[in-house]
Amino acid sequence: MIEPSLLYEMDPEVREQLRGSRPVLIHLLEGYVDAGQTGRGLSRHLRRQAEHQTLVTFDHDVLHDYRSRRPVITFDTNTWKSASALSLEISHATDSLGQDYLLLHGPEPDTQWDRMVAALNGLVEELDVSAVVTAYGAPVAVPHTRPTLITAHSTDPERFTDNPRLIDRVDVPASFSAYWELALGGQDRLAMGFAALVPHYLAQATFHQAVVAVLERINAATGLALPMGDLPDRVAANLTEINTEMNSSAEVLEVVSSLETQYDAMQLRPEEYLPSADELGAEFERFLADQAKDDE
């Protein structure tokens, strides 16, 4: 393996500010399944709420597959004007109480995962990171009219034992974040993640309620005081928009009502497996597909 530390450069002045602080490192990478734009929304929110200083810059050019995920480039009249910038970095900020934390953000690496994991593990050790945390959205057959459920996971299995029964054992294609968390567990490092269970019919939309749900769980699990800012207002406006759109269709309301019944039953009898979830999800997906065809 090529020396992992060659993948990045670190700002020594920002590094010095962190000495002795044992920060939490939050990683919110783009490019994998993220229903409701939960992880992306949280990343944007955190960067709006506090000034972030770049601590580590990764050599993204060797980690990105440009033909798989092409940058957007703008042509104007008779010349190429600009191209979207791609960057992968760890930034430093403080929460509402002045506590330091780190944020790894940017596109998920396409290549050299083991080398990137080694680089990050070296940084976790050098920066004396106290915990590594992630958050994202998973599409599930649940209604938007109920509180957002969270499936939590950790390298310490005893830390979270109250997950909803909608998700048990499952094989899925790996994200880099999951791959890294697995590696951290092999080194007895504390890592955890929070998957917001987002209504599958909102998987491609923005669902601010999920962002609030994961932010609250991160604060509770780490002791951070990440600010809510304007998120409550965004949630209210988002739900109003969703309800307005769905109230225009009796068929949609019927499916949402079925999901509400299922959700409420699960809360009353969490020990029972609910086999109708896939059926309800398939029904709604067929409905949305039919709607899309009608709009063409």
Side-chain angles (χ1 to χ4, degrees):
M1 180 186 295
I2 302 172
E3 171 56 45
S5 63
L6 295 177
L7 276 176
Y8 63 85
E9 294 182 353
M10 184 183 299
D11 187 315
E13 293 184 6
V14 180
R15 168 68 183 93
E16 192 60 32
Q17 295 175 30
L18 287 164
R19 200 166 297 281
S21 66
R22 303 208 68 223
V24 171
L25 193 160
I26 303 169
H27 53 113
L28 301 170
L29 299 175
E30 301 176 11
Y32 191 65
V33 174
D34 184 28
Q37 298 193 37
T38 304
R40 178 178 292 188
L42 179 58
S43 178
R44 289 174 175 172
H45 171 73
L46 293 177
R47 284 178 283 154
R48 283 198 310 264
Q49 292 299 308
E51 180 181 353
H52 280 246
Q53 299 174 292
T54 299
L55 170 65
V56 175
T57 303
F58 291 92
D59 185 358
H60 190 256
D61 196 48
V62 303
L63 298 170
H64 189 84
D65 181 351
Y66 286 86
R67 291 195 295 175
S68 174
R69 291 190 287 169
R70 296 175 183 269
V72 175
I73 190 167
T74 301
F75 182 80
D76 185 357
T77 310
N78 57 6
T79 187
W80 295 107
K81 283 288 190 180
S82 62
S84 56
L86 299 173
S87 63
L88 180 61
E89 66 178 52
I90 297 175
S91 58
H92 161 246
T94 56
D95 66 6
S96 298
L97 300 178
Q99 300 175 104
D100 294 299
Y101 73 91
L102 304 175
L103 177 63
L104 170 61
H105 56 96
E108 178 187 57
D110 292 312
T111 64
Q112 303 192 47
W113 278 19
D114 286 335
R115 187 180 176 211
M116 183 64 171
V117 163
L120 287 169
N121 286 349
L123 287 167
V124 165
E125 182 174 356
E126 178 179 349
L127 298 170
D128 198 17
V129 168
S130 59
V132 177
V133 186
T134 191
Y136 52 96
V140 177
V142 292
H144 69 282
T145 53
R146 296 292 188 268
T148 297
L149 300 174
I150 298 288
T151 290
H153 47 83
S154 175
T155 53
D156 175 9
E158 300 302 316
R159 183 170 285 266
F160 305 117
T161 59
D162 59 346
N163 281 339
R165 293 298 301 274
L166 281 175
I167 297 178
D168 197 356
R169 183 184 179 93
V170 63
D171 293 325
V172 296
S175 66
F176 176 81
S177 293
Y179 194 77
W180 182 27
E181 184 173 312
L182 180 65
L184 286 165
Q187 295 193 352
D188 293 325
R189 292 278 185 179
L190 177 59
M192 63 191 88
F194 301 99
L197 306 189
V198 174
H200 53 84
Y201 51 89
L202 297 176
Q204 303 301 321
T206 300
F207 191 50
H208 293 296
Q209 181 173 300
V211 178
V212 169
V214 294
L215 189 153
E216 290 176 339
R217 288 296 296 267
I218 290 173
N219 281 344
T222 64
L224 287 172
L226 302 173
M228 282 291 170
D230 62 351
L231 276 178
D233 293 336
R234 289 175 179 265
V235 169
N238 190 208
L239 289 176
T240 297
E241 181 181 352
I242 293 169
N243 288 329
T244 298
E245 183 174 346
M246 294 194 170
N247 286 339
S248 63
S249 171
E251 291 179 83
V252 171
L253 291 177
E254 183 178 350
V255 176
V256 171
S257 177
S258 296
L259 292 173
E260 290 173 339
T261 299
Q262 173 184 286
Y263 181 105
D264 295 341
M266 187 189 68
Q267 300 308 302
L268 292 173
R269 300 185 299 277
E271 72 285 353
E272 295 184 10
Y273 178 69
L274 302 171
S276 61
D278 289 342
E279 297 173 1
L280 286 167
E283 177 185 347
F284 213 127
E285 287 170 2
R286 283 195 298 271
F287 171 77
L288 292 178
D290 290 342
Q291 288 293 101
K293 291 178 182 177
D294 292 341
D295 292 339
E296 291 178 354

